[in-house]
Every structure is written in structure tokens, then in C-alpha cells.
Amino acid sequence: MGLTGTVSTLDDTASTSSVGFTVTSLGVERLMRVAPDGEVEPHLAKAVEHPDATTYLYTLRPGITFWDGSPLTADDVAFSMNHARRAKSQLASFFASVQDITADDGDTVRVTLKHPDASWKYTPTLAPVFQKAFAEKHGDSHGKPGVLVMGTGPWKFADLAATRGVELVRNDNYWNGRPAFDQIKIEFLADDTSAAFAFRAGEIDVAFPADARSYESVSGAKLVSSGPTCSSMVMSMNTKLEPWSDVHVRRAVAHAVDREGIVKALGDDVTPTSRLIPRPMWDGAVPAAAADKLYESLPTYEYDLAKARAELARSAYPGGFSATINASSNVAETSIANQALAASLAKIGIRIAVKRVPNSQWLKQLYGPRADIPVFTMPIGCGTVPDPSFYPGILLDSAAATEGGTNVADYTKPEVDRLVRAGLRTDTPAKRLSIYRDLLHQVSEDVPYVPLYSLEGYVALSERFVWPEFDEMYSVQPWALSIKAKA
């Protein structure tokens, strides 16, 4: 297979790679998984108990072993989850509500929360489970080339070359049945175009392109789509940096964004959206009709240049201004979307220069000092947390408005923080709906972000293979088990 990007460690808690989970999930498993219907179900666990509002008990499946033959124990799982919630972990924010994680005995893990957390049930689908002894032995080298990791998954890591790729070999003793493929080789490629040429030449069998239209054109492949997802492309405006700190500028931008124009520029491969919390995120949390009614009650920023100019006239920048927005060179689609966005804003005097930069530079800007991110567009993947709390947690919580965090608008408001936390601490649908209504009303007034369009997931498969139930949740489970040889 070919992946756009690189992976420098197989320890996802220490990685900022956007493709890290796709690689590591082939060998490193999770306690729980998200099924195709969106429900959370046991994976390494065989059962879950929730005896009270702040306690979860996970009982492990019997007979699971690591690649070296040693048994998986609750001690390994507790160690792994505590490793994932340590301060410098990239997954730490998902564990903010945790008081303690311990091994009750050989096969039961106890999680105690500080307070109820409606999103907690998804967190064990993210945290990778490693062998404790192996991780402790190698310390800071754990996961890196030459050391690798010790997991339980269907394929074992044989090699990691941070600039070239990864090799895996079959785990013949895999607890869930012998995998079909005896070897998987992953090549790291510079961009979608490189992957498309490699696919056309028959050098790779599987790829996950971000730019569907361009990839199909170059590769000659017909992509398999996941269908509409809970992921979306969002524009952020840094609320602490001029001119974006002016709320009237942000409201002017919200009115000036021509989503239909952006979608047309992208070849109608995406769906325009103005919803900060995508509609699929509400499924299972509140009744569908109630979620639809909530959105109908929110302030709207329809495409209206007259209103946009009126808002800009109320700002400190009535004549407009110039700015630069960076796009990752890995994904041509992002540059196209940014160019269309720039064309929209130019109509009210906001002149945006779009600059393509290496993906490493784009990621550095995303996670880097807030002063370096005045205006930004980024895809938000809902990962394995299809819950309305996810987007507020990563985009609106002031705790994420730090270097390394994902609140790139640097949006900090005590009342919003209170509502973000309140939305997690109850699982009563009516209460959650009321909380998120108040939250979204406030955010609609302040406009730190402008949603642009919803995303779909795509996979390219050679003529030899099929993937019957491809969906966007593939990246945190051993996805290659779902790929079948074509009959």
C-alpha cells in the first residue's frame, strides 16, 4: 500500500502524524472498537460493565497473547491507557476526565472518572495497547525505528524506516483467526499524485487518497467511498490576532464564504455545510428531529455579500486587508478549496494569498505557536468519537488553545468552557440538547470558525481486491482484515 506522509514512531501517543493510526492499527489493537453502525463494542475486551456514573470495568478476552507469546493482562492495558493519558501524550485530552486507571486483577481493568463523561465510552477505541514490559524496557526509544513495539494484532512490525515505509508480517497465532495476507508493505509517498502514479504502475494495491477527483484521473482507478461522514473542512480565524480579532471581520467572512462556489471548484465531490457540529455526530445522543430543530434555531450566515460588506464596514478594517493562508502540498484539494475561498473573500476586499507548503511545515503551523496561525483551513476527522462533544472539545475548549492543541482560533471564553464541560457530564438527551443549543448560539455570535464542507473517506483498491464495508472508522482497527481477494 501507499500512504501520503511519513511515520517516525509506532507509538501513536507520541506521534503527530496524520497517517499514524492507519499504520499502527494493523499491529497494535485497542480495548474497544467502533462498529460500522457507529456503536461501540468490545475488541480486546470481551465485556464492559458500567456500575455507576464514574466507573467502567473492562474484562479481557481470554487467551490473547503478544507476538512474543506472553499473555495480555489487565496490567498491560492499564499501563497502556495511563501511557496514553500522560501529559505529553497526543491523546491526553481524551483522558481529561480520568481520576484513575488500574488493573483489578489479571483480566479486569477499572477506570474511575472524576465526573460523568458522555464521551468516555469512545476513548478506549483510541488508546493503543502495548506490552508493558517491552515499553518500559525501551523507554523513550519505544516505537522508534530499530526498537518498534510489542502488540497483539494480526500483523507484526518487522521494520520501520521513517522516510521510506513500514513492513509487517503475519501473526500466525492471532487470537481472532489467521490473517489472509502473509506480508504488508507500506510505502511513504510525497503526495496523492505520487500515490496515483504508483497505483497506475501496479506498484501498490491500496491507497487512501484525500483528493478523489485528481487521484482517479491520474491513477485510472475508481475509488470506493465511505459516503458522507462526520468529518469536515473548517476555516479558523485567530481571535487574538488582528485583524481576525475583530468580530465584525469574522462575521463578514462568514457571510462572504461562497460554499457552493467552493464545492463547484472541487468538482462536486463534497457537500457544503455550515454546521460546526456535523449532523451525524448527533446520532445516538439526541433524537434526530430535536437535532434538526436545534440547527433551525441558530443564527445563520448565508452567502450574502451585502451583509458581508455591512459587517466589514462596522469593523476597524472597512477597506479590507491582505493575509496569507497556507495549504499542505500533500493534498491538491485543499489548495483548490483555499483558492475558491480566496476568490469569495476578494469580493469584499479581503485579499488572501494561498501558499502551498510541505506537509511537515503545515503540521508544524497547526500544532505550533498560536501567533503563527492567523487564519487556517483544516480537515477535522471525527475519528472514533461520533458524539456532539467532539468538535467543541477540540475546537472551543480553552484547554486546547495552547501550543500542540487544536483550538487554532485561540478562542477562549469562560462561559463556553463551562458549557463544553457540562455537555460531557450528562448523558440525558434533553439536557445535552439544551447545553449544546446555548453553546452553539454563543459560538455563532462570535464566529471563531466557519465550516466549509463535509468530507468523505476514499480508498483505492487494485483489481485484485474488494473492501465490502469500507467506512471512515477504519484507521483505528486492523483494517486490512476487511480487504478480500476478488472472487
Side-chain angles (χ1 to χ4, degrees):
M1 66 168 294
L3 278 181
T4 299
T6 61
V7 172
S8 60
T9 176
L10 299 174
D11 182 349
D12 287 318
T13 74
S15 173
T16 58
S17 170
S18 59
V19 298
F21 279 176
T22 303
V23 173
T24 60
S25 63
L26 293 171
V28 181
E29 298 183 284
R30 274 71 175 169
L31 197 58
M32 306 288 287
R33 69 184 290 268
V34 176
D37 63 2
E39 293 297 316
V40 178
E41 64 183 23
H43 187 63
L44 291 178
K46 72 174 182 180
V48 183
E49 295 178 60
H50 187 27
D52 59 60
T54 58
T55 304
Y56 290 80
L57 300 173
Y58 300 90
T59 302
L60 302 183
R61 294 181 188 272
I64 298 179
T65 61
F66 288 101
W67 301 323
D68 65 358
S70 61
L72 170 70
T73 69
D75 203 31
D76 294 302
V77 176
F79 165 83
S80 298
M81 296 181 78
N82 282 315
H83 179 69
R85 75 183 182 102
R86 73 195 190 285
K88 62 182 180 179
S89 166
Q90 294 299 316
L91 300 178
S93 62
F94 295 100
F95 291 82
S97 62
V98 171
Q99 178 68 43
D100 201 16
I101 301 177
T102 59
D104 268 14
D105 52 41
D107 66 356
T108 303
V109 177
R110 177 182 295 268
V111 176
T112 305
L113 305 181
K114 302 171 187 174
H115 50 73
D117 182 347
S119 72
W120 167 258
K121 64 181 180 180
Y122 298 105
T123 302
T125 72
L126 291 171
V129 175
F130 303 112
Q131 185 188 75
K132 177 182 178 181
F134 186 92
E136 289 185 329
K137 176 182 177 181
H138 294 286
D140 290 342
S141 297
H142 180 244
K144 295 181 179 178
V147 174
L148 309 179
V149 296
M150 183 63 65
T152 60
W155 290 276
K156 301 181 285 186
F157 292 103
D159 186 45
L160 166 64
T163 58
R164 297 194 308 275
V166 182
E167 291 186 13
L168 302 98
V169 296
R170 178 165 51 206
N171 173 15
D172 288 321
N173 297 315
Y174 182 51
W175 62 272
N176 202 22
R178 190 171 184 265
F181 307 125
D182 59 9
Q183 183 181 37
I184 296 177
K185 183 178 181 181
I186 300 172
E187 295 185 17
F188 296 149
L189 301 168
D191 49 39
D192 268 3
T193 302
S194 301
F197 278 120
F199 192 94
R200 191 178 192 93
E203 296 170 0
I204 59 176
D205 294 297
V206 183
F208 299 98
D211 186 349
R213 181 178 53 165
S214 174
Y215 192 93
E216 285 189 332
S217 174
V218 176
S219 69
K222 180 63 177 176
L223 302 183
V224 177
S225 169
S226 66
T229 70
C230 55
S231 301
S232 60
M233 183 67 75
V234 175
M235 175 187 183
S236 71
M237 296 169 281
N238 195 309
T239 58
K240 300 295 191 293
L241 297 178
E242 296 182 358
W244 311 101
S245 55
D246 190 318
V247 69
H248 297 293
V249 167
R250 301 198 299 271
R251 290 173 183 170
V253 168
H255 275 303
V257 169
D258 180 6
R259 293 180 178 85
E260 296 291 346
I262 294 173
V263 168
K264 185 176 181 180
L266 293 171
D268 297 316
D269 291 327
V270 296
T271 304
T273 184
S274 59
R275 296 173 173 179
L276 187 62
I277 301 178
R279 180 63 186 80
M281 302 293 273
W282 297 96
D283 295 341
V286 301
D292 290 337
K293 188 174 181 180
L294 180 151
Y295 278 109
E296 291 171 4
S297 74
L298 296 177
T300 59
Y301 292 92
E302 69 278 8
Y303 177 51
D304 188 322
L305 292 179
K307 290 182 178 179
R309 293 187 181 104
E311 282 289 351
L312 198 62
R314 297 178 64 192
S315 77
Y317 309 88
F321 54 87
S322 298
T324 299
I325 189 169
N326 288 348
S328 169
S329 60
N330 278 17
V331 187
E333 177 187 278
T334 305
S335 291
I336 295 170
N338 283 344
Q339 292 287 359
L341 176 64
S344 292
L345 299 184
K347 295 176 182 178
I348 62 169
I350 298 178
R351 300 166 295 280
I352 301 290
V354 179
K355 181 180 178 182
R356 294 191 71 184
V357 299
N359 194 57
S360 58
Q361 182 178 336
W362 184 87
L363 286 171
K364 185 177 181 180
Q365 185 182 29
L366 171 62
Y367 292 109
R370 290 289 166 244
D372 293 338
I373 312 179
V375 60
F376 209 61
T377 57
M378 59 180 178
I380 306 293
C382 68
T384 59
V385 189
D387 184 83
S389 64
F390 180 71
Y391 273 68
I394 65 172
L395 295 180
L396 306 175
D397 192 335
S398 63
T402 58
E403 186 171 342
T406 49
N407 180 349
V408 293
D410 207 10
Y411 179 63
T412 58
K413 202 161 197 171
E415 175 61 10
V416 169
D417 284 345
R418 184 190 70 78
L419 291 167
V420 167
R421 285 154 181 71
L424 287 172
R425 298 185 186 194
T426 178
D427 56 7
T428 304
K431 289 182 179 179
R432 298 195 87 194
L433 197 65
S434 176
I435 290 165
Y436 287 116
R437 180 184 295 110
D438 291 347
L439 173 67
L440 291 173
H441 268 276
Q442 181 63 65
V443 174
S444 293
E445 291 291 330
D446 296 339
V447 207
Y449 298 93
V450 177
L452 301 176
Y453 53 88
S454 62
L455 301 171
E456 295 188 14
Y458 296 96
V459 63
L461 299 168
S462 72
E463 289 296 324
R464 297 192 296 153
F465 302 108
V466 294
W467 190 334
E469 296 183 342
F470 174 64
D471 69 83
E472 72 167 328
M473 301 299 182
Y474 72 87
S475 65
V476 286
Q477 42 202 301
W479 50 267
L481 292 174
S482 300
I483 297 177
K484 311 295 181 185
K486 187 175 291 186

